[in-house]
């Protein structure tokens, strides 16, 4: 017996993980889930390692069906999640019976949702990561009829005592909305922009529809570079804020080319990148200046929150027998896809 | 023990997950060596929380996980690495684990293979034949792996002038494109958008997702272009770019 998920309505979805961290050394962008917090949370909520392959569903409706009982969770942007037609909560573990359709509809306020499955799905790896790389043409982009191999099945979880929800995890969810605040630190080349650098904090920027996983293009008041000397190609950090032309500001995201020759005005923080991952075309982004030390503290606080979520989830799973025999059972390996 | 042999660098903050280290000696060759050797040292450290290093010409971007190390700790670590490199300058000079490889790249110049060849000749004020001759005359050192997809970035041919970038970058430049811009030369390993002038194309497969590493060269290797006729192009299709000299494994240098 092999476990399979069949994608019935792909929308715009891929299988990804936290990224190809060995890639940049070899000229490949890190890529991976754009909203890292939501991707980690989805995995933790299903008892997976943070870096397990998850489905990233961007903007459009998605539907799949499995031939095994599953334990899933959906995080990221607000949406309507239904399992076998019944509405289910986001940011909670959810049981799915074999044959039931799992549908994600009406993603709103943010842009990307993350769907994790206990035991995860099979995905091809490149340099240790399944994250798609659109430039070299690698990755699992889901299409109608795509079959995903699954390795574990979890019988439906039922709270045996009272008819109340199993989990009330109360996780603090990332901020989303049409007015977003993104923290940035001074970039290594901020001096090249002279006094105009402070324009970045003076007013909001509108997200262009031409934004993607490589970078977000933003319209608004543009700081101006003082010199026009050609810059040698340098490694650019994810989150780099650049002014490549007179029309737009560019904020590089996880799919960014590893090297470039534009001066880096500012760098979005790790948490700021999660906010940008959920920005929809037309949303307004305001930049807020912070320091590297403060950004590091904020990031660590958010990681601690995920750690405490992991502790809670693992405790509940243990009581329910998930993650131990006999709550789930190993399925034989699926046919290679 | 003196530390003044450590290479001169500046370390710049680059967000909460990276620092940029810039070598600032007056000698570009020494700067290039410094950043590549620092990147190599960081690679072999296998330090927890360190994702990796991206060295280019005079700088290296060091990426890390801010949950595990802070930018401040990373900075101290880089300084330690530089000190090690400075003190062991003589032991390490010119050595690497696998020695330098040489590559020869057949190129069909001009026509559909190199749509910007004539424009480059005109801009340089020389003939098309001279552009080809200059481009294929010398042996290039691969300076770094750039975007997209691990492109081998090289110092350009000895043209009279820098080559301007295209005003309208192409949305798609095919894999194997041979391009020049400024004082630099490159091969495109994968099909991607590009703003450099394309003067030719190699029929060889440069990037193979089935191989590890994905591309056969790395910084420090050398490369030469050999002109072929348009008619010869198809005969090479399907072959991979391979080194002329097999990798000779030198003894690892302990740090």
């Amino acid at each position: 017996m092999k476990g399979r998920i069949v994608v019935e309505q792909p929308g715009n979805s891929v299988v990804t993980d936290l990224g190809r961290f060995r890639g940049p050394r070899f000229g490949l962008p890190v890529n991976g889930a754009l909203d890292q917090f939501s991707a980690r949370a989805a995995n933790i909520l299903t008892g997976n390692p943070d870096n397990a392959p998850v489905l990233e569903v961007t903007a459009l409706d998605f539907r799949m069906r499995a031939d095994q009982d599953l334990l899933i969770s959906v995080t990221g942007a607000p949406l309507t999640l239904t399992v076998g037609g019944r509405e289910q909560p986001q940011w909670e573990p959810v049981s799915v019976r074999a044959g039931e359709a799992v549908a994600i509809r009406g993603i709103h306020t943010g842009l990307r949702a993350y769907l994790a499955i206990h035991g995860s799905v099979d995905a091809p790896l490149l340099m240790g990561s399944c994250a798609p790389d659109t430039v070299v043409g690698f990755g699992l982009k889901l299409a109608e009829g795509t079959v995903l191999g699954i390795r574990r099945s979890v019988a439906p979880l039922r709270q045996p005592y009272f008819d109340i929800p199993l989990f009330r995890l109360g996780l603090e969810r990332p901020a989303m909305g049409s007015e977003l605040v993104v923290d940035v630190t001074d970039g290594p080349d901020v001096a090249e922009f002279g006094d105009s650098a402070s324009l970045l904090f003076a007013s909001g920027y509108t997200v262009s529809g031409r934004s993607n996983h490589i970078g977000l293009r933003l319209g608004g008041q543009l700081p101006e570079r003082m010199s026009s000397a050609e810059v040698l190609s340098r490694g650019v950090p994810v989150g780099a804020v650049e002014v490549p032309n007179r029309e737009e500001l560019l904020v590089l995201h996880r799919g960014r080319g590893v090297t470039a020759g534009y001066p880096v005005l500012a760098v979005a923080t790790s948490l700021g990148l999660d906010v940008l991952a959920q920005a929809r075309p037309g949303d307004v982004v305001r930049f807020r200046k912070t320091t590297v030390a403060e950004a590091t503290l904020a990031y660590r606080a958010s990681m601690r929150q995920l750690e405490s979520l992991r502790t809670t989830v693992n405790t509940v799973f243990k009581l329910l027998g998930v993650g131990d025999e006999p709550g789930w059972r190993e399925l034989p390996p699926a046919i290679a896809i | 023990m003196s530390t003044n042999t450590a290479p001169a660098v500046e370390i710049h903050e680059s967000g909460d997950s990276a620092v940029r280290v810039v070598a600032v000696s007056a000698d570009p060759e020494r700067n290039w060596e410094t950043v590549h050797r620092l990147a190599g040292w960081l690679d072999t450290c296998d330090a927890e929380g360190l994702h990796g290093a991206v060295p280019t010409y005079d700088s290296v971007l060091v990426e890390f996980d801010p949950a595990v190390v802070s930018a401040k700790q990373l900075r101290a670590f880089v300084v330690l690495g530089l000190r090690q490199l400075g003190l062991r300058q003589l032991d390490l000079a010119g050595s690497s684990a696998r020695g330098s490889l040489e590559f020869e790249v057949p190129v069909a110049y001009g026509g559909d293979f190199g749509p910007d060849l004539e424009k480059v000749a005109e801009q340089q004020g020389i003939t098309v034949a001279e552009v080809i001759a200059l481009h294929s005359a010398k042996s290039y050192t691969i300076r770094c792996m750039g975007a997209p997809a691990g492109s081998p970035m090289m110092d350009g041919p000895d043209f009279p002038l820098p080559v301007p970038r295209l005003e309208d970058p192409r949305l798609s430049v095919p894999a194997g494109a041979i391009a020049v811009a400024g004082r630099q030369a490159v091969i495109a390993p994968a099909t991607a958008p590009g703003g450099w002038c394309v003067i030719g194309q190699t029929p060889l497969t440069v990037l193979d997702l089935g191989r590890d590493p994905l591309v056969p060269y790395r910084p420090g290797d050398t490369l030469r272009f050999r002109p072929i006729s348009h008619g010869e192009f198809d005969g090479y299709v399907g072959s991979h770019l391979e080194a002329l000299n097999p990798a000779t494994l030198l003894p690892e240098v302990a740090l």
Side-chain angles (χ1 to χ4, degrees), chain B residues 6 8 10 18 32-33 39-40 43 57 65 72 83 87 94 107 111 127 132 134 136-137 178 206 214 217 221 236:
Chain B
E10 287 171 3
W32 177 75
E33 264 177 41
D43 257 1
Y57 293 87
D65 178 353
K72 218 170 166 180
R83 217 167 269 181
L87 292 172
V107 180
T127 66
I132 296 172
L134 284 171
S136 55
I178 305 294
V206 176
L214 306 182
Y217 48 79
D221 291 345
Y236 288 95

Side-chain angles (χ1 to χ4, degrees), chain A residues 25 189 230 233 256 270 300, chain B residues 16 20 43 53 56 66 165:
Chain A
R25 180 79 162 101
D189 307 309
E230 189 128 322
S233 290
R256 59 70 167 102
S270 295
R300 290 179 176 181
Chain B
D16 61 24
R20 180 204 280 172
D43 257 1
T56 56
R165 286 176 166 74

Side-chain angles (χ1 to χ4, degrees), chain B residues 138-159:
Chain B
K138 72 179 205 185
S139 174
Y140 300 86
T141 300
I142 296 174
R143 292 298 179 176
C144 61
M145 316 267 268
S151 308
M153 313 285 284
M154 299 164 282
D155 298 335
D158 297 325
F159 290 157

Side-chain angles (χ1 to χ4, degrees), chain A residues 18 35-45 48 50 75 91 171-174 271 274 299-314, chain B residues 67:
Chain A
L18 296 179
D35 178 350
Q36 296 258 302
F37 182 91
S38 293
R40 282 182 194 269
N43 269 327
I44 290 169
L45 287 163
N48 289 341
D50 288 20
T75 62
W91 300 90
L171 182 69
E172 202 175 299
R173 299 175 195 182
L271 294 179
D274 287 352
Y299 180 70
R300 290 179 176 181
S302 114
M303 292 299 283
R304 273 198 301 278
Q305 213 186 80
L306 289 174
E307 279 318 307
S308 96
L309 176 69
R310 192 194 316 277
T311 308
T312 311
V313 169
N314 287 351

